[in-house]
Amino acid sequence: FFVDSRCFLGYRWQTMLFVSLFKTLVGKEVTVELKNDVQIKGILHSVDQFMNIKLSNISVVDEAQAPYLAPVTNCFVRGSVIRYVQVPGSAVKTDLLQEATRREFLKASKDGTGR
């Protein structure tokens, strides 16, 4: 299951929905792909509304690409440099996510508070 960081540039309800999703994944292993093509795998420690992510027990997927990260065990990744976040598919209940998305979209459309 991949989440594109551009999801956080859209509607306010969309941003909050994905932040809620990521908060349920705290303690799970995720892979973060940065805009410079470096992929970092680690345990999700925290995430905020700006998609800033804290990871622990990290490893670089291709160490030759970023050898300077080899000794690092914990890191903070600024949301603006994230391209994708790969989360374990078993950790995401897609039917609940789709239903929540539908509900929030309808609520925002009705209220006129989409952005």
Side-chain angles (χ1 to χ4, degrees):
F1 190 83
F2 285 92
V3 178
D4 188 336
S5 64
R6 291 174 290 185
C7 294
F8 291 85
L9 302 175
Y11 296 101
R12 185 175 63 235
W13 62 267
Q14 199 175 25
T15 301
M16 295 314 295
L17 186 64
F18 279 104
V19 169
S20 297
L21 168 69
F22 279 106
K23 287 186 185 271
T24 66
L25 297 173
V26 168
K28 304 261 195 274
E29 186 174 76
V30 298
T31 302
V32 178
E33 181 178 334
L34 307 178
K35 290 181 180 176
N36 66 354
D37 295 325
V38 172
Q39 292 183 354
I40 302 171
K41 185 180 285 189
I43 306 298
L44 182 64
H45 185 267
S46 65
V47 64
D48 66 13
Q49 72 269 23
F50 301 107
M51 191 60 185
N52 297 319
I53 291 178
K54 286 185 185 177
L55 296 173
S56 58
N57 300 330
I58 71 160
S59 63
V60 179
V61 174
D62 182 7
E63 284 191 28
Q65 196 174 22
Y68 51 87
L69 288 175
V72 178
T73 57
N74 301 313
C75 71
F76 174 85
V77 182
R78 183 180 168 137
S80 63
V81 301
I82 295 173
R83 181 179 295 147
Y84 295 108
V85 178
Q86 183 179 355
V87 298
S90 60
V92 179
K93 294 179 175 64
T94 53
D95 53 338
L96 294 176
L97 182 60
Q98 289 172 345
E99 181 59 33
T101 303
R102 210 174 288 114
R103 261 195 324 268
E104 290 298 322
F105 176 76
L106 291 173
K107 180 182 172 194
S109 296
K110 198 180 296 184
D111 295 346
T113 59
R115 284 202 182 260

